[in-house]
Amino acid sequence: MSQFLENLNRRAFRARRSRWIMLGAASVVALSCGGSNDTGPTGSPVAAVVVNPPSLTIAVGAQQPLQAQVQDAGGNLIADASVVWSVKDPAIASVSSSGVVTALAVGTTQIAANSNGKSGIAAVTVNKIPVASVVVRPTHVDAITGSKTPLTGVAYDAAQNALAGRAISWTSSNQSVATVDANGVVTAVAAGSATITGTSEGKSDAATFSVTQGPVMSVVIVPDSVSMFVTQTTQLAATARDATGAAVAGTTIVWSSSNTSVASVSSDGVVTAVTAGTATITATGSGHSGTCVVTVTTVPVATVTVSPPSVSVSPGGTTTLVATMKDASGNVLPNRAATWTSSNNSVATVSSTGVVTGVALGTATITATSEGKTGTASVTVAPAPVASVTVSPAPSSVIVGQTTQLTAAVRDASGSLLTGRAVTWTSSNTSIATVSSTGLVTGVAVGSATITATSETKSGTSTLTVAGIPVGSVTVTPSSATVNDGHTTTLVATVKDANGVVVTDRTVAWSSSNTAVATVSSTGVVTGVSTGTATITATSETKSGNSAITVTALPVGTVTVSPSTVSVINGQTTTLTATVKDQSGTVVTDRVVTWSSNNTGVATVSAGGVVTAVSPGSATVTATSETKSGSSVVTVTVAPVGSVVVSPPTATVVVLGTTTLTAVVKDVNGTVVNRPVTWSSSNTLVATVSNGVVTGVLPGTSTITATSESQSGTSVVTVTLAPVATVTVAPASANVASGSTQQFTATLKDAFGNVLTGRTVTWTSGSTATATVSASGLATAVLVGTTTITATSEGKSGSGSITVTPGPVASVTVTPPSATIAINGTVQLTAKALDAAGNTIAAAFTWQTSNGQVATVSSSGLVTGKKAGTVTITAVTGSKSDTSSITVSP
C-alpha cells in the first residue's frame, strides 16, 4: 500500500508541475485573486483526500462514479482542489479523470484519488456479470427407454445477453426414469416422467422427459435348458426385453413345444415331461422368441412290490395280484411293464396281467419282474369254504297237516354254488312245524317257526307260517240299515271256514264305500256323516260280506247369530256369524242360511252375513235356516275423525309477519268432514297461532298443531329475522380535513319500516386513497378529494359522501435538496407545503440564506452564487421549514 501511495504521489507531483508550467501567468493571476487549487479557503494546504464510497463492488462492463473530498487540516472541504485519479491494476478496472470506474475483468484492485500529495483509496471488487436466467432446450422430449438425448443450457444476464463460460449443473427429478450426466446428456431408463433441470448461479430452467417403454427386441427364457424325468413338471420364466435389456412389462408371451409327445408346456410356462426324448420349448412375444432345450429321461425302477403278499385261492378259482414299481426315492412309477411267472404251474398259473388261477391243492410263488427288479407273493390253493347258505322259498307257508319242500343253496365267497356239501335241517318250534333231513316241512299247528339249513359253519333260514283252514264265507247283519247323520248303528259279521263251521279267531276288516256318507269302526260301528248311501263291507282273509246303509239328516233345531248386538261406524262393515244346530243340538254346516235386515236405510247385510252401515240408527239383522231364525241388533254410529293434515307441512315467517295454515279433517273412512279444529303452538315465544294464522314472534322453530277430536296434524314453522330492506347512512355528506376522522352510522329497516338491530354491517370506501373506513364506520381522511362511504347489510346498501380538505402544514420539502453552481451562476429552488397525509397545501414561503457572501436567494427561491463555498438555503412557512445545501464553485 505504501509503495502504491508513493507512486501515486510521484505521478501527482509530475502532473502538478506540468500543469504549473502550462498555466504560467494564468496561475499567477489566479493566485492574486486569492484562490488556489491546492489550498483551502484560507489558503491552508491539503491535509486529506476521502474517496466515497470507500469500497465498491461492480460487475464486468458496468460503470460506477467515485467522489473525492479534499479536506484541509480543519476538515474543511477544499472545493477547487484538483484531483488526479489512478488505478492499481488497469487490467481489472479503469478510472476516468472525473472518477468514473469501468469494470474490465474479474478481480480486485484499488482506485486512488490524489491531490497535492495526499491520496484517498477505494477498494474495487469486479465480479462476473450475474446470471439472470437460464434457458434449457428443448423444453420437452418424448423418448424410449435406452435412448440418449443431449440438452443445451445457456445462461443470460439481465439484458438477455448470453453469458459464455458459465457452468451448468444438471439434475433429474426421477433417476429411475431418466438420468442426466454433467454434459446434459439424458438417458431414458424406464417408462415414466422426469424433469431435467439445468442450474447456473442459482438460476434454473427445466425440460420434461416422457419416457415410454422401448419395443421388444428379445425374449429370454430362464433356465435355457433343463433335464427332467417322465411325469415331472418344471416352471420356466420368459422375459421380454428391449434393446437396452430392460424388461418390457405387459408383453403377452405365447408358449409352444417342438415335440408335445416328449414335453408339453402350459400357457403360463409349466413344462410337463411326457416321454423320454428331447423337445425345444419356445416363448414368443411381440415377434421375438427365446428357447429352452428340455431333455426327458425315464426314472429307473428301484423296487417291485406285489400285493397282496400272500393269497388263498380254490382250484379253478382266480385272484388278481398287483405289482407296484417305485424309483429310488420311493415314488410310484406308473405305466411300467411287469412280467409275471409262477414257481409251480401245476398248482397255480398267472397271466400277463397278474391274474392267478388255482389248478390243484398246494402252494406256489408268483413273481413280478420289471427292469431287472422283482417282487413276489405266496399263493395257496385250497378247497373253497362255504361262505353262505340260502334257503328258499323264504319266507314260506303251509296249512296245518300239509307239507312244503324247502331247498338250501350252498355258495363260496365268490358266489359260486358248491355241491356235495352236507346240509343239516332244524326247526325252531317243532310244535308248530317239523322238517326232515331233506328239507320237507310239515305243518303241525297254527303259528310260525324258523327253519334253518346249516353247512359247515354257515346257515340260512326261512320263516315258516302255519295257517289254519281258510275262511269260506262272511255274512253281515243286518244286510241294510238307516241311520241319521251324526248317529251310529252296529253291524255284526259272521265268519265260517271252508267246511261251513263258524270261526271266531279270524280277523275281520271293516270298510265303507263312501266315507263322506258313512264311516265304520274296526268293530263294525257305523256313523252317519252326511245324507246319502254307502256300502259297509266286512272282510276276512279273501271272503267278504256287505250291508247297505242309508244316512238321513236331522232337521234344523236352532239358529244363533253372534254377536247378538254390534255397533258399526257409518260407512264401515262388520261380519255376523250364524250357528246352525240340528234337533239333537249338533252344529251343522251344510244347511242354507238366508240373511235379511229390517231397516236397509240404516244397515244392509250380504248373503255372507257382512253388514254395511248406511246411516246412523238401529236395525235388526236376521239369519234363517229352514224354519228356524236368529237375529242381531246393529247400531250405526257417526264416523269419528280419522286424520288431520296441516298444509303446508313446513313454513317460514319473519318476525312480526304472518302466514296462514289450513287443516283438512277426514273421518276414518277417508271422507273430508267439517269438524271443530283447535290450533296450538309448541313454542309461543317463537310463534303464536289463531284459527290457523301464524304470527312470528322471535327467531326460532315452533310446531303448530291442529287437533280435531283425538287426531292431530302438524306443520313446522321457522321464524326468521325480517330481511334488511333499506340502509341509510348518516351523515349524508361530510367535509373532513386530511388526517381527521368522521363517524358514519347506518340505520337498517325492514320492508315495514321497522328499525333492525343486531345485523352485520360492512363498511367500504369508494377510494381508500382518499379516505378509509373501519368496520365500525369510522372514516379517516387521507388525501384531498371526494369519495363515497358505503354501508352494506344483507345485500342492501346505503352511502354518504366525504370530502377531504387539506390539513395544517405538517412539513415542507425543498427541491433540489442540494446543488452546485458556479460563481454568478443560479439555481431555482422550489418549496412545497404538505399536510400530515402528504397532501400539497398552498402556502407562502420566506426564503433565507445562511451566508449571503456565498449565495443569495430571492423571494421566489432563485439562488445566485457569489463566492466559492457552501451555503444553506431555507424555505419557511409558519413554523415549518426545509433546506437545500448549495455549493458554489469557482
Side-chain angles (χ1 to χ4, degrees):
M1 174 65 75
S2 59
Q3 183 63 43
F4 175 56
L5 292 177
E6 183 179 351
N7 293 336
L8 286 177
N9 292 332
R10 290 175 180 175
R11 287 198 296 270
F13 174 77
R14 288 193 296 269
R16 285 196 305 274
R17 185 176 60 181
S18 299
R19 184 164 171 267
W20 291 334
I21 295 172
M22 292 170 63
L23 291 176
S27 301
V28 174
V29 173
L31 290 173
S32 67
C33 293
S36 172
N37 290 334
D38 297 325
T39 61
T42 59
S44 58
V46 173
V49 178
V50 178
V51 178
N52 289 313
S55 63
L56 177 67
T57 299
I58 187 171
V60 173
Q63 291 184 326
Q64 180 75 32
L66 296 177
Q67 292 183 346
Q69 294 181 341
V70 181
Q71 300 175 351
D72 59 17
N76 298 308
L77 291 177
I78 304 175
D80 57 350
S82 62
V83 176
V84 177
W85 294 91
S86 60
V87 61
K88 180 178 181 182
D89 189 346
I92 302 249
S94 65
V95 62
S96 70
S97 60
S98 61
V100 176
V101 178
T102 300
L104 301 178
V106 175
T108 59
T109 187
Q110 294 174 330
I111 302 294
N114 186 281
S115 179
N116 197 27
K118 301 296 182 181
S119 298
I121 302 296
V124 176
T125 300
V126 179
N127 293 331
K128 293 187 297 183
I129 299 174
V131 173
S133 62
V134 172
V135 175
V136 173
R137 292 292 182 272
T139 59
H140 178 78
V141 176
D142 291 318
I144 62 172
T145 55
S147 65
K148 294 182 180 295
T149 303
L151 297 181
T152 59
V154 178
Y156 291 89
D157 62 14
Q160 291 300 301
N161 298 309
L163 300 174
R166 299 302 170 91
I168 304 292
S169 61
W170 296 94
T171 58
S172 170
S173 66
N174 191 343
Q175 296 196 48
S176 63
V177 172
T179 60
V180 61
D181 63 14
N183 298 318
V185 178
V186 180
T187 301
V189 178
S193 296
T195 300
I196 306 301
T197 303
T199 303
S200 179
E201 298 179 17
K203 305 297 181 180
S204 62
D205 192 18
T208 58
F209 260 70
S210 295
V211 181
T212 56
Q213 186 68 57
V216 175
M217 298 303 292
S218 64
V219 175
V220 178
I221 297 180
V222 177
D224 57 2
S225 64
V226 64
S227 296
M228 304 171 63
F229 290 122
V230 174
T231 73
Q232 278 189 325
T233 61
T234 190
Q235 176 71 59
L236 300 182
T239 304
R241 301 186 182 279
D242 60 16
T244 67
V248 181
T251 303
T252 300
I253 301 297
V254 177
W255 295 87
S256 61
S257 170
S258 64
N259 191 344
T260 56
S261 63
V262 171
S264 63
V265 63
S266 69
S267 60
D268 55 356
V270 176
V271 177
T272 301
V274 181
T275 59
T278 302
T280 299
I281 304 300
T282 302
T284 303
S286 298
H288 295 271
S289 299
T291 60
C292 172
V293 177
V294 176
T295 302
V296 180
T297 58
T298 301
V299 179
V301 174
T303 61
V304 177
T305 304
V306 177
S307 59
S310 61
V311 66
S312 178
V313 65
S314 61
T318 62
T319 187
T320 301
L321 300 179
V322 176
T324 301
M325 279 67 79
K326 295 183 180 181
D327 61 17
S329 299
N331 300 310
V332 175
L333 302 174
N335 303 320
R336 297 300 174 92
T339 302
W340 294 90
T341 58
S342 172
S343 64
N344 191 344
N345 287 322
S346 62
V347 172
T349 61
V350 62
S351 71
S352 60
T353 59
V355 178
V356 177
T357 301
V359 177
L361 300 180
T363 59
T365 299
I366 304 300
T367 302
T369 303
S370 179
E371 299 178 14
K373 304 297 181 180
T374 60
T376 61
S378 174
V379 175
T380 301
V381 180
V386 173
S388 65
V389 176
T390 304
V391 176
S392 58
S396 57
S397 63
V398 65
I399 296 174
V400 174
Q402 296 185 4
T403 62
T404 184
Q405 181 65 54
L406 301 181
T407 60
V410 181
R411 289 183 171 84
D412 60 16
S414 66
S416 300
L417 284 173
L418 301 175
T419 59
R421 302 299 172 93
V423 176
T424 302
W425 292 89
T426 58
S427 170
S428 64
N429 192 341
T430 55
S431 63
I432 299 297
T434 60
V435 62
S436 69
S437 61
T438 60
L440 182 64
V441 178
T442 300
V444 176
V446 175
S448 63
T450 301
I451 305 301
T452 302
T454 303
S455 180
E456 296 179 4
T457 60
K458 303 299 180 182
S459 297
T461 61
S462 175
T463 301
L464 176 70
T465 300
V466 180
I469 299 172
V471 172
S473 64
V474 177
T475 304
V476 177
T477 56
S479 59
S480 64
T482 298
V483 65
N484 292 323
D485 59 348
H487 292 261
T488 62
T489 187
T490 300
L491 301 180
V492 176
T494 301
V495 181
K496 295 181 180 180
D497 63 15
N499 299 323
V501 177
V502 174
V503 291
T504 58
D505 58 345
R506 306 301 166 90
T507 300
V508 176
W510 294 88
S511 63
S512 170
S513 65
N514 190 347
T515 56
V517 172
T519 60
V520 62
S521 70
S522 60
T523 59
V525 178
V526 177
T527 301
V529 177
S530 63
T531 57
T533 60
T535 300
I536 303 301
T537 301
T539 302
S540 182
E541 295 178 5
T542 61
K543 303 300 180 179
S544 299
N546 300 319
S547 176
I549 302 298
T550 300
V551 180
T552 60
L554 285 175
V556 172
T558 61
V559 176
T560 304
V561 177
S562 60
S564 59
T565 60
V566 66
S567 180
V568 187
I569 295 173
N570 184 30
Q572 296 190 0
T573 62
T574 188
T575 301
L576 300 179
T577 303
T579 302
V580 181
K581 295 182 180 179
D582 60 19
Q583 290 178 344
S584 66
T586 303
V587 175
V588 291
T589 59
D590 58 346
R591 308 303 166 90
V592 176
V593 177
T594 304
W595 293 88
S596 63
S597 169
N598 72 338
N599 190 347
T600 56
V602 173
T604 61
V605 63
S606 70
V610 178
V611 177
T612 301
V614 177
S615 63
S618 179
T620 300
V621 176
T622 303
T624 303
S625 180
E626 296 179 1
T627 61
K628 304 298 180 181
S629 297
S631 63
S632 175
V633 177
V634 178
T635 301
V636 179
T637 60
V638 176
V641 172
S643 65
V644 178
V645 178
V646 178
S647 60
T650 60
T652 300
V653 63
V654 299
V655 173
L656 302 180
T658 62
T659 186
T660 301
L661 304 179
T662 59
V664 176
V665 182
K666 294 182 180 180
D667 62 18
V668 293
N669 300 318
T671 303
V672 176
V673 292
N674 186 15
R675 304 292 171 83
V677 175
T678 302
W679 293 88
S680 63
S681 169
S682 67
N683 190 346
T684 56
L685 294 178
V686 173
T688 61
V689 61
S690 175
N691 295 325
V693 178
V694 179
T695 301
V697 179
L698 290 174
T701 301
S702 178
T703 299
I704 305 300
T705 303
T707 304
S708 182
E709 295 180 5
S710 62
Q711 304 298 320
S712 298
T714 62
S715 174
V716 177
V717 174
T718 301
V719 180
T720 61
L721 292 172
V724 174
T726 62
V727 178
T728 304
V729 174
S733 63
N735 291 322
V736 182
S738 173
S740 299
T741 60
Q742 172 66 49
Q743 180 65 55
F744 285 91
T745 60
T747 301
L748 313 180
K749 293 183 179 181
D750 61 16
F752 304 106
N754 299 310
V755 175
L756 304 175
T757 60
R759 305 300 172 88
T760 301
V761 177
T762 303
W763 292 89
T764 58
S765 171
S767 172
T768 55
T770 301
T772 61
V773 63
S774 70
S776 62
L778 181 64
T780 301
V782 181
L783 294 177
V784 174
T786 300
T787 188
T788 300
I789 302 300
T790 301
T792 302
S793 181
E794 300 178 13
K796 303 297 181 179
S797 299
S799 61
S801 67
I802 183 170
T803 300
V804 180
T805 59
V809 175
S811 63
V812 174
T813 302
V814 175
T815 56
S818 63
T820 300
I821 59 175
I823 296 174
N824 297 322
T826 62
V827 62
Q828 179 66 54
L829 300 182
T830 301
K832 181 187 294 185
L834 303 174
D835 63 14
N839 298 303
T840 300
I841 303 171
F845 293 95
T846 301
W847 294 90
Q848 301 171 353
T849 177
S850 64
N851 190 340
Q853 293 181 350
V854 175
T856 62
V857 60
S858 70
S859 60
S860 63
L862 181 66
V863 179
T864 303
K866 297 298 183 178
K867 176 183 177 182
T870 301
V871 67
T872 299
I873 305 298
T874 302
V876 180
T877 180
S879 62
K880 304 297 179 183
S881 63
D882 191 24
T883 63
S884 176
S885 176
I886 303 298
T887 300
V888 180
S889 63

